[in-house]
């Protein structure tokens, strides 16, 4: 098909979108929406026209917010990427009047309506309960936005609104933001013949390393007990604020990150329990290494694989080894997940998708310091005096998703998932496991070993 001005050539996925596309297709198409939502309670006099113009400017400057799929994902998990195009104009702001006290319930109803990805991957709805009470509900599909984009979105919204309502005659030097990176330019760079050849070569090298570290050889468990409806339980991994401060101090002393320390403790605990001297861990990295990348909504994280050597060694050496492996893994942010998975694992029957955890024994997601990009997820945006904004945790109810097939279910069940959040000076989180595949007593021992190693790092 020949591209025209009104029918542009469909764009392939970026390296960041690739893993998310695989993740989406691991579940039925009508399963829980893969969305990253943002709900802001706005208290005070609000100029709706200014808010609409500000949202339009943000969409105009950040290309990922104007992407749409050229075809539906489809019910068939083997469906190929349909391509995407860039809409020339930003979307609309829908304003809905609601009764006082009904804003949260209406926000849940709004979030219960999944996005039509062939129309837009974003949606903006303003719930108006009165002249001074509004709720802004933003829906972003995970193909274009992740958690690290949210503080940037809030800041851009507050800055744009303030600029329009309280214009300064002379902007302060250096006050302007760097122009965000072009998403279509990123895709264009990644899909040149030279770039594609380099990616294939690097993916082959990484696949060999992952195979040598046991990728494709999952942690043992009861495979017969797992079906597409996975059922998870957890053990706590939280660390109180006083111990977290000591961990941060020890991290600085060892010239590593808190992310390194936590991953090292978990990896050693898992390796000891399962008697392995090598593991593959999944971590998330953003690859935001330039001023333009730091200012880009849509340049979201990628799942990267870090092969770890967990054989006994002095603790400082182990921390340095894990740190170096994660640093090296972050350089693979431009490697599409599919390019690596296809070289390590057999293709699921029927051409199905690879579960995002299929390559790893352990996955760590540390909110706030992951991806080498510290983010204050809880910082309120600075609107003009008299107008305040508070981020609310509003979600739509959903039925836990069922995997499309046994391969995806087993890949998820065999992996251990650690989720930790650095909030108010303390670490809060859990180690999640499929409770039929993994033995609860084994997971309790892993959590105990993890705690012992952190205690060894922070002696009283």
């Amino acid at each position: 098909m020949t591209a025209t001005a009104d029918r542009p050539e469909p764009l392939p996925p970026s390296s960041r979108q690739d893993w998310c596309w695989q993740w989406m297709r691991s579940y039925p198409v009508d399963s829980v929406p893969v969305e990253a939502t943002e709900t802001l309670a706005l208290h005070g006099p609000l100029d709706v026209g200014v808010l609409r113009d500000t949202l339009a400017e943000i969409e105009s400057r950040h290309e990922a917010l104007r992407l749409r799929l050229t075809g539906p994902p489809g019910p068939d998990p083997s469906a190929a990427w349909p391509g995407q195009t860039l809409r020339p104009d930003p979307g609309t702001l829908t304003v809905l009047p609601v009764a006082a006290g009904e804003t949260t319930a209406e926000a849940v109803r709004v979030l219960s309506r999944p996005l039509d990805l062939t129309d837009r991957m974003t949606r903006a709805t303003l719930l108006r309960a009165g002249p001074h009470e509004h709720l802004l509900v933003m829906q972003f599909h995970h193909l274009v936005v992740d958690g690290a984009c949210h503080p940037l979105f809030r800041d851009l919204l507050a800055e744009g609104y303030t600029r329009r309502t309280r214009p300064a005659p002379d902007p302060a030097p250096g006050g302007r933001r760097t122009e965000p990176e072009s998403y279509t330019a990123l895709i264009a760079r990644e899909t040149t013949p030279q770039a594609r050849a380099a990616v294939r070569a690097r993916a082959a090298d990484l696949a060999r390393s992952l195979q040598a570290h046991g990728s494709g050889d999952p942690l043992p468990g009861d495979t017969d007990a797992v079906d597409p409806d996975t059922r998870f339980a957890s053990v706590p991994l939280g660390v109180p604020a006083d111990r977290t401060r000591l961990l941060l101090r020890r991290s600085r002393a060892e010239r590593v990150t808190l992310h390194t320390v936590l991953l090292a403790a978990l990896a050693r605990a898992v390796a000891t329990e399962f008697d392995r001297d090598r593991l593959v861990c999944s971590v998330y990295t953003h690859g935001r290494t330039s001023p333009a990348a730091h200012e880009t909504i849509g340049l979201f994280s990628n799942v990267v694989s870090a092969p770890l050597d967990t054989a006994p060694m002095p603790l400082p050496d182990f921390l340095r080894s894990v740190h170096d492996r994660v640093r090296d893994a972050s350089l693979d942010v431009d490697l599409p997940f599919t390019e690596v998975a296809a070289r390590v694992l057999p293709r699921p029957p029927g051409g199905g998708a690879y579960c995002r955890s299929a390559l790893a024994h352990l996955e760590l997601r540390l909110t706030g310091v992951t991806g080498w990009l510290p983010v204050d997820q809880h910082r309120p945006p600075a609107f003009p005096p008299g107008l305040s904004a508070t981020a609310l945790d509003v979600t739509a109810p959903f039925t836990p998703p069922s995997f499309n097939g046994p391969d995806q279910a087993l890949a998820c069940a065999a992996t251990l998932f650690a989720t930790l959040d650095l909030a108010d000076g303390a670490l809060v989180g859990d180690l999640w496991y499929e409770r039929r595949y993994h033995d609860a007593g084994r997971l309790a021992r892993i959590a105990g070993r993890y705690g012992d190693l952190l205690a060894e790092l922070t002696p009283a």
Side-chain angles (χ1 to χ4, degrees):
M1 181 182 294
T2 303
T4 64
D6 60 337
R7 191 184 294 236
E9 189 72 28
L11 294 166
S14 74
S15 54
R16 319 300 179 89
Q17 289 173 315
D18 177 84
W19 76 266
C20 194
W21 178 246
Q22 293 286 347
W23 179 27
M24 284 174 59
R25 294 189 301 116
S26 293
Y27 303 101
V29 70
D30 58 352
S31 184
V32 55
V34 185
E35 294 182 8
T37 62
E38 176 83 20
T39 304
L40 289 177
L42 301 169
H43 302 282
L46 177 70
D47 189 320
V48 176
V50 169
L51 180 67
R52 180 180 286 110
D53 291 344
T54 303
L55 288 168
E57 179 188 55
I58 293 172
E59 270 199 55
S60 296
R61 295 183 67 234
H62 295 264
E63 291 180 331
L65 299 181
R66 290 184 283 117
L67 289 171
R68 70 178 185 92
L69 295 185
T70 57
D76 183 356
S78 67
W81 173 261
Q84 58 188 338
T85 58
L86 197 66
R87 282 193 171 276
D89 301 315
T92 59
L93 172 64
T94 301
V95 181
L96 299 176
V98 297
E102 289 294 317
T103 52
T104 300
E106 183 60 32
V108 170
R109 284 191 283 271
V110 169
L111 295 174
S112 298
R113 297 194 295 270
L115 293 165
D116 176 3
L117 302 187
T118 63
D119 178 34
R120 290 186 181 274
M121 297 194 196
T122 63
R123 179 191 292 151
T125 306
L126 184 68
L127 307 179
R128 180 181 174 87
H132 292 177
E133 296 297 329
H134 297 81
L135 206 64
L136 177 63
V137 182
M138 298 296 304
Q139 288 168 273
F140 306 107
H141 197 274
H142 209 348
L143 280 169
V144 295
V145 162
D146 71 355
C149 297
H150 287 251
L152 176 57
F153 168 78
R154 292 195 291 266
D155 286 346
L156 290 172
L157 187 68
E159 290 170 10
Y161 186 92
T162 301
R163 176 168 25 90
R164 286 173 167 80
T165 55
R166 300 168 61 88
D170 296 307
R176 295 183 181 275
R177 286 183 175 270
T178 302
E179 192 65 20
E181 183 163 343
S182 165
Y183 210 60
T184 54
L186 168 69
I187 294 174
R189 289 197 304 272
E190 290 184 339
T191 53
T192 64
Q194 297 88 344
R196 294 293 303 139
V199 161
R200 285 192 291 270
R202 289 169 52 219
D205 289 341
L206 177 59
R208 284 190 288 270
S209 179
L210 296 181
Q211 287 172 318
H213 283 76
S215 186
D217 176 20
L219 299 176
D222 189 349
T223 58
D224 294 332
V226 178
D227 58 38
D229 295 313
T230 51
R231 301 168 193 173
F232 277 79
S234 66
V235 292
L237 295 179
V239 181
D242 55 346
R243 180 59 61 87
T244 301
R245 286 194 295 272
L246 293 175
L247 283 174
L248 287 166
R249 188 180 305 167
R250 181 63 184 267
S251 301
R252 289 191 291 269
E254 298 290 346
R255 297 169 59 186
V256 297
T257 65
L258 179 62
H259 183 274
T260 291
V261 171
L262 296 171
L263 182 62
L266 281 168
R268 176 163 283 186
V270 171
T272 300
E273 176 62 32
F274 287 96
D275 192 25
R276 291 186 177 233
D277 58 8
R278 290 185 170 191
L279 284 178
V280 175
C281 297
S282 283
V283 294
Y284 293 78
T285 188
H286 292 88
R288 293 175 180 259
T289 56
S290 68
H294 276 274
E295 298 296 338
T296 305
I297 295 177
L299 188 67
F300 59 101
S301 62
N302 200 357
V303 180
V304 295
S305 300
L308 303 183
D309 296 306
T310 55
M313 66 180 77
L315 189 52
D317 294 343
F318 183 55
L319 292 176
R320 173 52 54 184
S321 172
V322 173
H323 181 86
D324 290 346
R325 287 287 185 146
V326 173
R327 180 199 59 204
D328 292 345
S330 71
L331 301 177
D332 292 331
V333 68
D334 63 325
L335 281 186
F337 179 79
T338 307
E339 291 278 359
V340 182
R343 289 167 168 80
V344 176
L345 305 170
R347 186 68 182 267
Y354 297 105
C355 179
R356 78 164 197 261
S357 60
L359 296 175
H361 306 104
L362 170 67
E363 177 179 300
L364 172 61
R365 180 174 296 192
L366 176 59
T367 304
V369 292
T370 189
W372 308 83
L373 180 67
V375 174
D376 183 358
Q377 297 282 347
H378 309 286
R379 182 184 70 251
F383 279 87
L387 180 62
S388 66
T390 304
L392 302 182
D393 184 15
V394 180
T395 56
F398 64 90
T399 302
S402 174
F403 282 96
N404 265 320
D407 292 86
Q408 292 87 359
L410 280 174
C412 181
T415 306
L416 302 176
F417 300 88
T419 59
L420 285 160
D421 183 9
L422 184 61
D424 299 324
L427 284 163
V428 181
D430 301 273
L431 181 63
W432 294 87
Y433 63 97
E434 215 288 339
R435 58 188 175 88
R436 296 168 301 173
Y437 184 92
H438 289 289
D439 177 70
R442 204 163 207 176
L443 267 294
R445 291 194 295 272
I446 289 172
R449 289 191 174 98
Y450 157 84
D452 292 343
L453 195 144
L454 294 186
E456 182 181 346
L457 287 165
T458 54

